Amino acid sequence: MSSNPAPGKGNTSSLPGMWSQVGQKVWHHWQRTAAQLPSQCAVCHAWPAQRVCNDCVARFAQPRPRCPTCAMPLAQATVRCGECLSRPPLLDGCVAAVDYGFPWSGVLSGFKFHGDPSWANALALLIRSTPWAEPALEAAGLVLPLPLSPQRLRQRGFNQSLLLARHLAPEKTDATLLLRLHHTPAQSSLGRAQRLLNLEGAFALEPTRASAVRGQRIVLVDDVMTTGATLHSAAAVLRQAGAAHVSALVVARTRTPDLDSDECMAL
């Protein structure tokens, strides 16, 4: 007689996987429900409202001229900023919803550092409402969130870029294709060149699936961009693997390259 217990009668080997699936279903149901509930505007405190009310979005998220390849704010619409003309970036395009400043710096801090992943839906909607974001998503074959290092993921408990990507294009988002191989400490005091040097070898593609990139139009997703060192390092890996087109979508773009998403706020 077999000594193996019958399924459901003492066999607990499948319980961790089962409870993981149950937990995911509960979490997704909670997210859908919470997104439909009225809230208080985080900026003006109007009630009831979405996380940021329509009046505050209209006031603080007005589209503005930006460089199409690095999303740096410009005084007027032009083909490219001087930096991108003199040193063409690895990104074919970059779309930013807002400038990194009030009230979005506080919103992003709450999203990432105060355990509030429910911000992902509102911020993804902000990105999607930005000119040129929707066409980029529609044309993309893959949407890749910038991965966190295992150390940073343990600290934060979730990858904010992955949450944004799943709200933007759930059917195109791949969470395991682009990998972050090692942790990079905060680099707020470093210039762009030094940041790029520190990020050498930080990203790679999952070896058994690297061919999935070849010939694809890819959109990278992150929360904030400044110098673009992190996004450009990831784009370099995708280019080397044969990606046909690489662009980026971010919530916020800093107005000066002296402050960065992974670097500002001790990221």
Side-chain angles (χ1 to χ4, degrees):
M1 181 180 294
S2 173
S3 60
N4 293 333
K9 295 184 178 180
N11 183 4
T12 60
S13 62
S14 63
L15 286 179
M18 179 186 72
W19 283 113
S20 175
Q21 293 176 6
V22 171
Q24 289 178 5
K25 289 181 180 179
V26 172
W27 171 250
H28 292 318
H29 176 72
W30 179 88
Q31 283 188 311
R32 289 193 298 269
T33 302
Q36 298 171 2
L37 295 175
S39 180
Q40 184 181 41
C41 176
V43 182
C44 71
H45 308 296
W47 175 273
Q50 299 302 313
R51 298 300 300 271
V52 178
C53 71
N54 291 336
D55 287 344
C56 286
V57 169
R59 180 180 179 186
F60 296 110
Q62 284 292 320
R64 63 175 302 175
R66 295 182 184 276
C67 174
T69 49
C70 75
M72 181 65 77
L74 300 173
Q76 58 186 10
T78 185
V79 177
R80 281 188 178 187
C81 70
E83 179 68 16
C84 288
L85 286 172
S86 60
R87 293 195 303 174
L90 291 171
L91 291 172
D92 292 294
C94 184
V95 174
V98 295
D99 289 333
Y100 184 82
F102 180 83
W104 308 111
S105 55
V107 167
L108 288 163
S109 178
F111 178 33
K112 295 167 64 171
F113 304 118
H114 299 286
D116 194 354
S118 63
W119 268 111
N121 184 52
L123 293 174
L125 181 60
L126 193 66
I127 294 175
R128 196 176 266 282
S129 302
T130 304
W132 307 114
E134 195 74 39
L137 290 168
E138 290 178 357
L142 288 169
V143 174
L144 304 182
L146 279 191
L148 296 179
S149 67
Q151 177 181 338
R152 186 61 52 79
L153 186 58
R154 285 193 300 269
Q155 293 172 346
R156 189 165 299 160
F158 62 92
N159 180 355
Q160 73 281 353
S161 299
L162 174 57
L163 295 184
L164 290 170
R166 283 178 170 164
H167 280 283
L168 287 168
E171 71 288 349
K172 296 182 178 181
T173 295
D174 192 320
T176 59
L177 181 56
L178 182 63
L179 308 175
R180 190 148 190 166
L181 302 183
H182 61 76
H183 176 71
T184 51
Q187 306 180 97
S188 56
S189 62
L190 303 178
R192 183 175 184 275
Q194 186 60 48
R195 293 173 184 178
L196 285 169
L197 183 63
N198 285 357
L199 286 163
E200 281 189 7
F203 296 102
L205 294 173
E206 207 289 320
T208 63
R209 301 177 56 222
S211 60
V213 168
R214 184 168 300 279
Q216 290 277 13
R217 293 181 67 92
I218 296 174
V219 169
L220 292 168
V221 176
D222 203 7
D223 56 332
V224 187
M225 175 188 179
T226 304
T227 67
T230 305
L231 284 166
H232 291 166
S233 295
V237 170
L238 297 172
R239 291 289 194 192
Q240 291 167 6
H245 186 278
V246 183
S247 59
L249 299 179
V250 299
V251 178
R253 179 66 154 104
T254 61
R255 302 182 188 184
T256 166
D258 297 328
L259 199 64
D260 203 353
S261 84
D262 321 80
E263 294 106 8
C264 68
M265 301 184 298
L267 307 184

